[in-house]
Amino acid sequence: MATRLRKTRRLRGGRHMGWGQVGQHRASGHKGGLGVSGMMKHHYSTLLKEDPDHFGHRSTSPPHPNVTRKWASIRDLDDLFAKFGSDEGGKKIIDLTAAGYDKLLGGGKATTPYLIKVGKFTASAEEKIKAVGGEVLTRNG
């Protein structure tokens, strides 16, 4: 359509451009309310499109990344050796990481010197294993 035929050409000289005498297209009536009004009603599709994370909350402290899911204690080493252990060159070796364990805890008493491969271990577990002549190795070392 040619510009000279548009409705706005007739309205250019007036103060309000067809939006009435008082409000002059400045109030909240033409946009469905002020602020976030109507977000659950007539502006819901706009909310979904422009702010999909509007509802809910963000955690201020995300969970700790080092989660120990499975652990074993010193008292369980004899049973674990029977299941997963190997005897190589006179050394009794238990690979706890390959068995699915994340950490070795120091509960119980150590009686047999084992060479244990595990990702994480407590200081008391290391002391008890070394006291009977064993050794604790981290999986990468």
Side-chain angles (χ1 to χ4, degrees):
M1 176 185 269
T3 305
R4 62 187 174 82
L5 300 176
R6 291 181 191 267
K7 184 179 179 181
T8 56
R9 299 308 297 167
R10 288 191 296 110
L11 301 172
R12 284 294 183 204
R15 287 174 49 198
H16 311 296
M17 283 287 293
W19 287 99
Q21 184 178 0
V22 179
Q24 299 174 15
H25 197 49
R26 292 178 186 155
S28 60
H30 71 283
K31 56 186 177 180
L34 284 173
V36 292
S37 61
M39 286 300 177
M40 290 298 287
K41 296 190 178 291
H42 53 283
H43 286 163
Y44 192 69
S45 60
T46 307
L47 172 109
L48 293 177
K49 181 177 67 174
E50 296 179 3
D51 191 14
D53 297 328
H54 180 78
F55 296 108
H57 70 280
R58 290 186 184 89
S59 177
T60 54
S61 57
H64 197 274
N66 298 326
V67 176
T68 302
R69 300 193 189 284
K70 195 172 179 185
W71 57 88
S73 293
I74 297 284
R75 68 176 62 90
D76 304 326
L77 289 180
D78 293 330
D79 295 333
L80 290 172
F81 180 75
K83 286 184 182 178
F84 309 111
S86 63
D87 203 352
E88 298 175 10
K91 291 185 178 180
K92 294 183 176 184
I93 299 173
I94 305 174
D95 193 349
L96 290 180
T97 307
Y101 289 89
D102 298 326
K103 191 170 185 177
L104 179 66
L105 304 179
K109 292 183 180 180
T111 56
T112 312
Y114 291 114
L115 191 141
I116 302 167
K117 297 178 183 177
V118 67
K120 294 181 272 186
F121 51 87
T122 60
S124 62
E126 186 179 22
E127 288 174 12
K128 289 179 182 181
I129 293 294
K130 286 185 178 180
V132 294
E135 189 177 356
V136 180
L137 301 175
T138 56
R139 184 70 172 124
N140 53 9

